[in-house]
DNA sequence: TTGCAAGTTGGAATCATTCCAACTCATTTC
DNA sequence: GAAATGAGTTGGAATGATTCCAACTTGCAA
């Protein structure tokens, strides 16, 4: 069960929504709270399941709508890996993602500004990028342990 | 209309397929030739249209099969952007992709080894990555010109 | 009160991809 | 050389994430 938003987070939600002319609703509060509660890059379906525990009448369509709204006002990032379901990430700091092939888990990897700079610098003249997505694919300790301890 | 494979490319195809116990077929030759002919990161549908000009009976299912086979034996890479259709790239050198939001075109960006190294180096201990995907999102000269010259 | 606009809802529609069973064709096996 | 084998191909059906839509709800404004 999701506990409600902290004063600070509720304010961030209200503020970001207001900035793009939209309102806080009970559904949006819960969906946002779900994202903040467990930062494991949940899919829409994951969010739907978790949010339902607090609001049984919530619909899947609304979860899609809320998440789209959040992405639109910059509260959340979408994370795609290959052709899998889209995942959602409330971490707004510049970061890359590490996808553990063994567990399917997605981890945030901090991105130092100088790396971002050096990446921008490899673009030929005439190419202006607004965003850079970086995703690693591999195994982490987590999964290595599982396979040796089993 | 696609011209047939050069001796060198046919050999590469034959060799890569043989290495994973598979055979050269007319369909695979044409699909591979289509990929080499225009390196614009075509979708399955694009490849299907182009290949059909040389082999009208070719089926979409076969194009999916051929491309999957090529990915499996390392002849081509899949390229995904957001939730769009998968694209295919026969450039085997390490490179990133630049997606022009205005035109939808995808460009290869050469990746210097030192950038790859520095990226690997930001992974915390315990994370071992086999592959790194980097994609830029933005506008290129190409699209800037279009919007000012129109 | 009534009206309006934003938001929510359930179900239908979309669309890329995967699955499947029948068919083709080249290569063994008898 | 007929029959069997097996990889590959094919068209169409199934899948599954996402989008679309029309009806319903709600809070606020006229
Ligand atoms: Mn503000
Ligand atoms: Mn070889
Ligand atoms: Zn993240
Ligand atoms: Zn490429």
């Amino acid at each position: 069960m999701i506990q409600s938003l902290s004063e600070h987070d509720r304010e961030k939600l209200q503020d970001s929504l207001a900035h793009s002319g939209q309102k806080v609703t009970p559904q949006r509060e819960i969906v946002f709270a779900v994202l903040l509660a467990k930062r494991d890059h949940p899919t829409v379906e994951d969010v739907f399941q978790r949010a339902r525990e607090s609001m049984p009448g919530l619909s899947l369509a609304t979860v899609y709508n809320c998440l789209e709204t959040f992405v639109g006002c910059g509260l959340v990032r979408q994370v795609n890996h290959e052709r899998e379901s889209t995942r959602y990430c409330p971490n707004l700091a510049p970061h890359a993602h590490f996808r553990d092939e063994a567990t399917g888990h997605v981890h945030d990897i901090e991105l130092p500004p100088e790396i971002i700079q050096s990446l921008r610098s490899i673009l030929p003249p005439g190419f202006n990028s607004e965003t850079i997505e970086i995703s690693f694919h591999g195994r982490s300790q987590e999964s290595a342990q599982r396979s040796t301890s089993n």
Side-chain angles (χ1 to χ4, degrees), chain A:
Chain A
M1 174 69 75
I2 296 304
Q3 74 282 347
S4 53
L5 293 172
S6 71
E7 199 45 56
H8 173 263
D9 290 329
R10 185 190 311 280
E11 204 168 306
K12 187 164 76 166
L13 177 63
Q14 142 73 32
D15 221 57
S16 297
L17 287 170
H19 272 278
S20 53
Q22 292 169 301
K23 302 171 192 168
V24 176
T25 67
Q27 289 86 347
R28 287 173 178 168
E29 284 195 23
I30 287 180
V31 169
F32 191 49
V34 163
L35 291 177
L36 296 182
K38 196 173 176 197
R39 293 155 168 269
D40 60 350
H41 304 85
T43 63
V44 174
E45 200 59 42
D46 292 333
V47 173
F48 182 47
Q49 304 297 348
R50 296 176 196 175
R52 265 192 159 194
E53 288 175 26
S54 311
M55 185 184 276
L58 181 68
S59 79
L60 180 59
T62 297
V63 176
Y64 271 101
N65 291 339
C66 290
L67 291 171
E68 183 185 27
T69 298
F70 294 163
V71 171
C73 64
L75 272 174
V76 186
R77 279 174 57 180
Q78 280 186 329
V79 180
N80 290 294
H81 279 98
E82 322 260 289
R83 303 251 89 220
E84 296 176 3
S85 309
T86 299
R87 294 170 175 278
Y88 292 83
C89 172
N91 177 356
L92 296 180
H95 65 283
H97 289 105
F98 183 99
R99 167 70 199 283
D100 187 320
E101 287 170 8
T103 63
H105 294 176
V106 176
H107 303 271
D108 283 350
I109 305 291
E110 211 188 316
L111 264 187
E114 59 270 22
I115 294 271
I116 298 175
Q117 258 328 300
S118 68
L119 276 171
R120 281 191 195 290
S121 77
I122 68 174
L123 285 175
F127 288 79
N128 294 81
S129 90
E130 290 148 25
T131 62
I132 308 178
E133 272 165 56
I134 302 172
S135 60
F136 298 88
H137 242 230
R139 310 289 172 121
S140 72
Q141 213 56 50
E142 181 183 34
S143 55
Q145 286 176 344
R146 163 181 298 187
S147 59
T148 55
S149 65
N150 267 2

